[in-house]
Amino acid sequence: MMSLLTLTAIVSFLSQPVLGAPLFETRQDSADWKSQEWDAIVVGAGTAGIIVADRLSEAGKKTLLLELGGPSYGVTGGTERPAWLDGTGLSRVDVPGLYKSIFNGNTDLLCPPGVVNSYQACTIGGNSAINAGLYFQPPASDWDDYHPEGWKSADVQTATKRLLDMQPSITSYSSDGKFYMQSGYEAAKEWLVNGAGFSDVSFNEDPDNKDKVFGRPAYDYINGQRGGPTRTYLQDALKRNNFHLQTGVRVRRVNHIAGVASGVEAEVNGSSVDVSLSSDGRVILSAGAIASPGLLMHSGIGPFETFMNMSTAGFLPFNSTMVLNPAVGEGLFDNPNTFIELAGPTIESYVHDYNNPFPEDRDLYLSSRSGPYAFASQTSAFWAYMPNSDGTKTGVQGTIDSSGHGEYGANNTITLNIYGTSGLASAGRVILSDDGNYIPGPSSDVYYSDPRDGKAIAQFIHSIFQALPPSTPDSPAADGLTPLNIPQNSTVEEIETYITTPSDYAVGSVQHWSSSCRIGKCVDTGTKVIGTLNIHVVDASIISPLTVNPQFGVMVAAEKGAERILKTW
């Protein structure tokens, strides 16, 4: 999750130049990868692509994994680090407490301009290399209520087990067994558990219970450092002679005739190159929920209107080799979020410092992977469902951050980040820019295009506010938490207006992009793009909106997707 990141910050970043990404030297001989034929070409070495490539190569398929970006973790050759990490072999990516610093720009980890019109990682590990590492197992209802046959909770059970065997989910982060930065956790627990009637639970012990529950976050860390597919699956894949990872490669399109792929067209060091499949090969797009649909459209696979626009401009010739699939890009989802700034007499804010951490905290991390830098800034999380008039339900998630945001930076301030999650009626689609470059990005109707969503989230905020002591920003409560940017006594209507009006605190984009090439609509249950023979999508595009942060679900989808591909090969 990108805590404390707003659309304003994103727009500011997108206008900045991005440093060139150096190539990652893999453990394979890379001299002739361009001239070989591959059983599987996986595009995108991110959260899903690494897992898919590992499982396919494990099954004996000659697998090429292509990535636009470069190193990230220290184990990949990543060298972006503050001076206090010099000589450690760690990069900024490895240290959980430094994740927010990535969103200030001036980094090789993010996609350069012209790739996507959104905020996204282009590096080994993808978004799993830059997010907070939150790692919550989706409840069974997410699979059973929102996914087709073949992808129900019982169907993904073995994939989930494989994932947890490879990458456990943890709720104790510091190697010394202690919890740090806990004043916000304790205040939130008093409010939500003792005041609002939420249950205090361990999310990993009962992942299906997501209604009025509160607890400590689950993360994907490994021994006090960031985990994820790069630390696990990729390390296994790199040991195989039939696997090759190549960075610095921008895939432009899938080469195909009427949906039968022969390979991909890519750009390497400014030159165009065609990379070929074997006679029974597959192309798997794992470039993310915006980039993968964009690649399909650039390849002549997608909605008719998109083809007409590109062909009229001379960008893509309109011909009989195109594959009409109106569901490509349709249903793009992100969690609408609101920052609620909270102050209290017992709160002690904590802000991780990239260059100059407190010496005792720095030394604690370096000596034993313990202390505040051993985890990101989310100290607690909670969930609930809000019933809708049609019998459905809207999921709502909250996380408590260790400090205030924006103008609310006093030492007694923390941030509550409220998301809408599963069951929301609003969604947009992936669109291509109209500047002649046809860069994929989100449409303008992703957030709150259905008014039901704003009402449901506002009702939830109003309900938990009733468990706070009476207060106003000018007359804070003597005991307990005081909301600062949305007064505690606000009406549902006032809250709805606030959260649906763009500001530095509302209608922010958390960049949890998903659902833009959904199973059963855009791809079949085997992850094959409908209308094609051997082109697949396996990433966040194919899953429906989840109740929890999407990372765990995307990794399950990668495990399951690889399984389904191999069964039909």
Side-chain angles (χ1 to χ4, degrees):
M1 182 190 69
M2 298 185 185
S3 176
L4 307 187
L5 182 65
T6 65
L7 283 172
T8 302
I10 295 167
V11 171
S12 175
F13 164 75
L14 290 175
S15 66
Q16 299 175 2
V18 177
L19 304 178
L23 294 181
F24 168 50
E25 296 297 331
T26 73
R27 303 176 201 174
Q28 309 292 320
D29 177 11
S30 62
D32 62 347
W33 66 271
K34 290 177 283 189
S35 61
Q36 297 181 44
E37 291 186 346
W38 300 89
D39 297 329
I41 299 174
V42 182
V43 181
T47 310
I50 288 174
I51 296 175
V52 172
D54 175 48
R55 292 308 190 192
L56 296 184
S57 64
E58 180 184 50
K61 303 300 182 183
K62 185 179 176 183
T63 302
L64 175 64
L65 178 58
L66 300 176
E67 170 57 41
L68 170 61
S72 52
Y73 300 71
V75 72
T76 70
T79 58
E80 285 191 13
R81 62 173 67 95
W84 62 276
L85 289 180
D86 286 348
T88 64
L90 302 178
S91 78
R92 72 194 307 174
V93 170
D94 293 290
V95 182
L98 296 183
Y99 94 97
K100 283 185 189 176
S101 69
I102 294 168
F103 306 122
N104 295 327
N106 192 33
T107 174
D108 291 337
L109 301 171
L110 306 174
C111 293
V115 176
V116 289
N117 280 332
S118 64
Y119 199 93
Q120 180 175 318
C122 282
T123 190
I124 298 172
N127 286 342
S128 69
I130 69 169
N131 61 21
L134 291 167
Y135 192 58
F136 301 107
Q137 182 173 338
S141 58
D142 279 356
W143 303 105
D144 293 336
D145 293 347
Y146 305 115
H147 291 84
E149 293 298 327
W151 286 79
K152 301 297 186 182
S153 61
D155 301 312
V156 301
Q157 188 172 10
T158 57
T160 301
K161 183 180 185 303
R162 289 196 302 270
L163 172 61
L164 286 171
D165 287 345
M166 181 70 80
Q167 172 69 74
S169 178
I170 66 168
T171 54
S172 180
Y173 335 115
S174 180
S175 295
D176 61 9
K178 298 177 182 179
F179 291 99
Y180 293 82
M181 301 152 48
Q182 291 298 289
S183 64
Y185 168 84
E186 296 296 343
K189 182 178 178 181
E190 178 66 26
W191 168 27
L192 295 166
V193 175
N194 298 336
F198 281 59
S199 299
D200 186 7
V201 303
S202 169
F203 297 128
N204 285 347
E205 292 179 5
D206 189 8
D208 292 340
N209 184 9
K210 289 295 184 291
D211 197 8
K212 292 198 73 173
V213 290
F214 171 92
R216 297 188 186 279
Y219 288 99
D220 67 350
Y221 305 151
I222 301 173
N223 298 325
Q225 296 176 206
R226 181 189 292 273
T230 304
R231 293 277 311 280
T232 51
Y233 292 87
L234 182 60
Q235 302 312 305
D236 284 351
L238 285 169
K239 299 172 185 176
R240 301 189 188 104
N241 292 328
N242 65 332
F243 171 85
H244 178 69
L245 165 64
Q246 186 64 41
T247 58
V249 180
R250 181 171 182 177
V251 174
R252 289 292 187 176
R253 60 186 52 84
V254 178
N255 292 329
H256 73 97
I257 297 176
V260 181
S262 58
V264 298
E265 178 189 331
E267 184 179 305
V268 183
N269 296 326
S271 299
S272 180
V273 59
D274 288 331
V275 186
S276 298
L277 288 174
S278 61
S279 59
D280 192 30
R282 310 287 180 95
V283 172
I284 300 98
L285 301 183
S286 299
I290 292 179
S292 286
L295 274 171
L296 288 174
M297 295 177 198
H298 286 188
S299 305
I301 303 170
F304 177 80
E305 306 80 41
T306 302
F307 297 160
M308 289 299 296
N309 291 337
M310 288 192 288
S311 63
T312 300
F315 184 83
L316 183 71
F318 193 92
N319 55 50
S320 60
T321 68
M322 291 179 168
V323 175
L324 296 180
N325 184 329
V328 170
E330 185 64 37
L332 178 66
F333 178 82
D334 186 25
N335 302 110
N337 82 306
T338 302
F339 296 144
I340 300 176
E341 305 305 312
L342 302 165
T346 65
I347 297 297
E348 294 181 7
S349 302
Y350 191 96
V351 179
H352 293 96
D353 192 302
Y354 181 75
N355 288 308
N356 298 295
F358 293 120
E360 60 269 27
D361 294 342
R362 175 200 64 202
D363 295 344
L364 190 58
Y365 185 79
L366 292 177
S367 64
S368 64
R369 300 298 186 265
S370 299
Y373 284 79
F375 78 109
S377 53
Q378 295 79 27
T379 60
S380 60
F382 58 93
W383 278 269
Y385 291 110
M386 297 299 292
N388 298 315
S389 59
D390 61 359
T392 61
K393 59 186 179 182
T394 295
V396 186
Q397 174 182 344
T399 57
I400 299 290
D401 192 89
S402 63
S403 63
H405 172 60
E407 62 188 291
Y408 301 99
N411 190 48
N412 67 335
T413 308
I414 54 177
T415 299
L416 165 59
N417 191 0
I418 291 283
Y419 310 157
T421 62
S422 58
L424 292 181
S426 303
R429 66 168 300 115
V430 175
I431 59 173
L432 302 181
S433 64
D434 58 3
D435 58 359
N437 295 313
Y438 298 99
I439 302 166
S443 59
S444 61
D445 54 350
V446 173
Y447 311 106
Y448 299 122
S449 53
D450 190 309
R452 187 188 80 177
D453 298 340
K455 294 182 187 301
I457 298 170
Q459 288 168 350
F460 173 74
I461 295 172
H462 183 266
S463 70
I464 60 175
F465 271 20
Q466 304 317 298
L468 289 171
S471 69
T472 66
D474 295 326
S475 181
D479 187 27
L481 293 169
T482 297
L484 301 178
N485 56 326
I486 306 178
Q488 182 269 339
N489 61 354
S490 298
T491 65
V492 172
E493 291 74 19
E494 289 170 336
I495 296 172
E496 181 183 356
T497 297
Y498 185 91
I499 68 174
T500 58
T501 302
S503 72
D504 198 29
Y505 305 91
V507 202
S509 175
V510 293
Q511 312 294 325
H512 289 170
W513 300 113
S514 71
S515 314
S516 55
C517 191
R518 302 190 191 198
I519 303 167
K521 296 180 179 179
C522 177
V523 297
D524 63 19
T525 56
T527 74
K528 185 172 64 177
V529 177
I530 293 172
T532 75
L533 180 68
N534 58 344
I535 303 170
H536 297 255
V537 175
V538 183
D539 58 22
S541 306
I542 68 174
I543 60 174
S544 296
L546 302 174
T547 299
V548 297
N549 296 68
Q551 177 167 265
F552 192 111
V554 171
M555 294 170 76
V556 170
E559 277 277 11
K560 184 65 178 179
E563 172 191 312
R564 294 302 297 259
I565 291 170
L566 288 168
K567 282 185 176 180
T568 59
W569 205 317

